[in-house]
Amino acid sequence: MNEAPSKDEVMRLIEEFYAAKVERCYGREGGARLLELVTALDAIHESLAYEKLEGGLTVMVALKDDRKLLGAKAMELTPRELPSVIEGAATIQVLDGRLLVVPECRDPLKFAGDAVVYHFQKHDYFVIDGELDQVINTSSSPSLFGTPTFLNLEEVLDDYKTNQARHSQCEILREHLWSDDRHWWFANKPEDVLQRSLKRHVRATLRGVGEVRREQVVGTRPTDLKVTWSFTNRIAYIEIKWLGASLNKRKTKVSKKCSAKDAKKGAAQLAEYLDLNKDDAAEHETMGYLVVFDGRRQRLKLGATELSREDALHFLSEEVEYEPPLWETRSDFRRPRRFFLEPAEVND
Amino acid sequence: VAQIDASFDVLRLCSGIDRLSGNGATVAEIHNFSYFSCLLSVYDGRPAANWGYDFYATPTGSPYARILDVAIGDLSAAGFLLPGPETLALSTTGEKVLGELERHILAAERMRYLDAAAGAAALVPLPTVTRALAQEPQLRRVLGAPTKRDLLDEAGYQLVQPHFQVLAEAFEEQGMADADLALSGAIWLMTLSKSEEEGE
């Protein structure tokens, strides 16, 4: 860029840029406070996964140096300690590099007169002229101040569902998952195949991934996969279940049948596992995922040579009803994902 | 004196970049941020010669000052910098030395520009800084040239000055003539970054 930018373009940037808005609203002093705030925001977002902050996050720096704004109940924590205290929402005052924390989201507008205030609720905001002003963000991430991890994993899982699982496009599934070419019956004990296939896809496609492996835990039943990211405190646990029927090796009888009840059991097991690991992973941000491979076929009998389209696809859109819906009450549990595996052959 | 300036800059920038990245500072970042600090001092009306040492552009379009490499070597040998696999961070002794140097009266002026550069980088995503700076007109000019080229000589100044004039006028017309230097730096980085996105 050898030519100077146009003045109109620079003026537009000044009008829209959050830091210029803050300085215009709070003056040079506010600008200085903002630098303190954004430096702390980087550390806070590094420790807290914004994907879990559904109740909102408010972070502020007081305009007057030594003023405490959150009352006596606020705890003083380091960024590393935040995950052990915060579940889904928080209000934080940055004071001389220290963090004063209450584990609930307070109304950011209430602090407008006393502090430079940042708020996160699906997007970044600053309080400008007494109102929430959304930060212009042209990136694909919800926040300028944090890096997506769980969101990326969810995109990878959704991609897997459509492009690897649905028609058994993944070669591991195609070659080892089914007992028959028509994809009506699972092969005996399909758990390992499902795990290998999903593990390979996550490892190959997830950005910044550190490790994907089977969780090894002594004393408690492990989840199927544990995903960690390099240079972060994030851990995802993936529990895999399958629905449908498998045949024994000789294909002479049904070796196992799994129904919606097994998916529900998987949700409970995952929640229990997350609870058991809470103390061990106190400085980590954890998220649990239940992935259900659904190969159920309606009215399928051993030895059948025909299966109508209606019966083959009967469960295509039949979701499992989970009670209680744990993802509504827990910030570390995502709504279970069901991957319906379509048969390769049906009879019209 | 130039060597002391360079050593101070390395320590102060290392500390500032470490706060931003949480993972130390790379040698390339130290050269980039030092050059950006020098540019901000020029924007602020100081002659480039007052910076104390010179920069040149490498054929890959990166700013470089040999004196910074010498300072990094000396500071590492003295145990003030802890070299990691890819980055440098201040040791405890390094932090103490930086604290001492900061009290020196001559440090205040340099800190204004070093901190403004780090502050500008805090306001925009960190990778944007290096990417945007590569679009700086003097660095852009040498990209792919076979030899290194001096930066902020008279010809270089003539390239960058129109940018600074537009920036200053735009802030003035927005009623923000006395805007913080970090904010001015961030806005300039954003215009440079935008030009890269638009493929100018």
Side-chain angles (χ1 to χ4, degrees):
Chain A
M1 184 188 188
N2 289 333
E3 277 181 27
S6 79
K7 200 197 303 178
D8 286 346
E9 186 190 334
V10 179
M11 284 175 63
R12 195 169 57 248
L13 275 172
I14 296 171
E15 262 170 40
E16 293 174 351
F17 188 42
Y18 72 92
K21 288 181 182 177
V22 168
E23 192 163 319
R24 200 179 291 121
C25 180
Y26 295 99
R28 283 285 289 270
E29 193 55 30
R33 296 280 175 257
L34 177 68
L35 287 176
E36 201 182 332
L37 180 58
V38 293
T39 305
L41 282 180
D42 284 339
I44 291 167
H45 275 295
E46 204 175 297
S47 290
L48 292 177
Y50 52 61
E51 293 97 332
K52 295 175 73 175
L53 293 168
E54 290 182 350
L57 168 74
T58 296
V59 186
M60 69 194 93
V61 175
L63 289 163
K64 284 184 185 158
D65 265 346
D66 53 350
R67 184 131 184 244
K68 289 189 179 177
L69 302 170
L70 295 179
K73 281 186 182 168
M75 298 168 272
E76 188 175 330
L77 300 172
T78 63
R80 279 168 64 105
E81 291 169 320
L82 294 174
S84 63
V85 173
I86 291 167
E87 280 191 25
T91 305
I92 301 174
Q93 180 183 359
V94 182
L95 187 62
D96 292 332
R98 295 172 298 141
L99 304 181
L100 305 178
V101 182
V102 288
E104 63 191 22
C105 188
R106 298 203 181 151
D107 181 1
L109 302 183
K110 280 191 176 166
F111 303 100
D114 300 311
V116 178
V117 186
Y118 162 87
H119 183 67
F120 178 82
Q121 187 117 37
K122 290 193 168 65
H123 306 282
D124 296 317
Y125 298 88
F126 281 90
V127 176
I128 303 291
D129 296 327
E131 288 178 14
L132 281 181
D133 189 272
Q134 189 174 335
V135 173
I136 293 175
N137 177 359
T138 52
S139 77
S140 57
S141 310
S143 173
L144 288 182
F145 302 99
T147 315
T149 47
F150 298 133
L151 267 182
N152 285 349
L153 175 60
E154 285 155 28
E155 281 171 16
V156 164
L157 292 176
D158 292 341
D159 173 60
Y160 178 85
K161 173 184 178 177
T162 311
N163 297 312
Q164 301 290 320
R166 185 169 178 182
H167 299 289
S168 301
Q169 300 98 312
C170 163
E171 64 175 82
I172 297 176
L173 298 183
R174 200 171 56 238
E175 288 174 15
H176 304 289
L177 182 63
W178 301 101
S179 184
D180 59 323
D181 293 340
R182 296 169 299 194
H183 297 180
W184 294 356
W185 301 94
F186 283 120
N188 198 32
K189 297 182 180 168
E191 298 85 356
D192 281 351
V193 175
L194 296 170
Q195 213 183 88
R196 267 199 293 138
S197 165
L198 186 58
K199 180 176 161 183
R200 188 174 78 165
H201 183 72
V202 172
R203 185 182 272 163
T205 56
L206 183 60
R207 272 173 287 170
V209 69
E211 205 175 17
V212 186
R213 63 180 173 90
R214 190 179 169 91
E215 170 72 318
Q216 302 294 325
V217 180
V218 178
T220 56
R221 189 195 152 280
T223 54
D224 291 298
L225 294 177
K226 176 183 177 180
V227 181
T228 55
W229 285 259
S230 305
F231 309 116
T232 76
N233 65 347
R234 315 297 202 260
I235 302 175
Y237 295 106
I238 304 177
E239 173 75 14
I240 297 173
K241 288 286 173 195
W242 60 273
L243 310 181
S246 64
L247 297 183
N248 65 353
K249 273 188 184 167
R250 293 168 58 202
K251 304 181 186 181
T252 53
K253 62 177 181 182
V254 175
S255 55
K256 194 175 179 185
K257 270 188 171 178
C258 293
S259 65
K261 211 155 82 179
D262 294 277
K264 292 175 195 172
K265 215 162 92 183
Q269 282 168 345
L270 178 60
E272 188 187 356
Y273 185 78
L274 291 168
D275 287 340
L276 284 168
N277 276 273
K278 232 172 209 169
D279 290 340
D280 291 341
E283 290 183 353
H284 288 86
E285 280 285 69
T286 56
M287 186 71 87
Y289 294 89
L290 174 64
V291 169
V292 179
F293 287 85
D294 190 349
R296 287 175 293 173
R297 313 291 179 230
Q298 178 83 325
R299 284 196 285 266
L300 181 61
K301 296 271 189 303
L302 191 63
T305 54
E306 293 207 337
L307 183 68
S308 71
R309 174 172 296 276
E310 197 187 340
D311 286 343
L313 301 178
H314 177 83
F315 294 99
L316 178 67
S317 17
E318 189 172 298
E319 295 302 331
V320 176
E321 298 285 336
Y322 295 90
E323 193 56 51
L326 293 165
W327 57 94
E328 287 181 4
T329 52
R330 300 180 64 129
S331 62
D332 63 348
F333 193 103
R334 279 293 196 248
R335 181 191 282 269
R337 288 174 148 70
R338 189 178 64 97
F339 300 167
F340 186 75
L341 307 168
E342 291 197 21
E345 195 182 309
V346 294
N347 303 100
D348 286 317
Chain B
V1 174
Q3 193 63 61
I4 295 172
D5 284 344
S7 297
F8 178 72
D9 295 354
V10 169
L11 290 172
R12 184 82 185 174
L13 286 173
C14 229
S15 163
I17 297 167
D18 185 37
R19 259 202 308 278
L20 294 176
S21 70
N23 192 30
T26 64
V27 171
E29 280 169 344
I30 292 172
H31 285 272
N32 270 324
F33 274 71
S34 175
Y35 178 56
F36 184 36
S37 309
C38 176
L39 284 168
L40 289 176
S41 76
V42 173
Y43 173 71
D44 201 32
R46 278 174 40 127
N50 282 15
W51 189 248
Y53 52 88
D54 300 328
F55 294 90
Y56 65 79
T58 65
T60 57
S62 304
Y64 181 83
R66 191 175 173 280
I67 200 166
L68 290 172
D69 270 359
V70 173
I72 289 168
D74 290 348
L75 292 165
S76 300
F80 300 160
L81 288 178
L82 298 172
E86 286 172 10
T87 56
L88 299 160
L90 259 62
S91 65
T92 315
T93 331
E95 282 171 8
K96 279 184 193 156
V97 171
L98 176 60
E100 292 296 323
L101 290 172
E102 282 167 356
R103 287 196 207 107
H104 198 282
I105 191 153
L106 293 177
E109 199 173 359
R110 294 194 86 72
M111 282 204 296
R112 169 171 161 75
Y113 302 115
L114 298 168
D115 291 357
L123 298 175
V124 298
L126 189 57
T128 304
V129 181
T130 306
R131 236 184 30 238
L133 215 50
Q135 301 299 312
E136 189 269 330
Q138 299 173 86
L139 295 172
R140 186 83 198 264
R141 178 182 57 166
V142 298
L143 192 62
T147 54
K148 62 186 188 180
R149 184 155 187 170
D150 288 340
L151 293 170
L152 286 167
D153 55 5
E154 186 52 35
Y157 179 75
Q158 293 303 328
L159 283 174
V160 82
Q161 198 277 336
H163 283 240
F164 290 164
Q165 191 177 336
V166 167
L167 199 60
E169 285 175 8
F171 270 105
E172 194 172 347
E173 285 190 30
Q174 288 283 353
M176 299 180 75
D178 65 343
D180 189 84
L181 203 51
L183 176 58
S184 308
I187 291 285
W188 190 43
L189 287 175
M190 288 167 69
T191 64
L192 293 173
S193 169
K194 209 155 178 267
S195 76
E196 186 217 12
E197 285 163 18
E198 287 163 4
E200 275 185 23

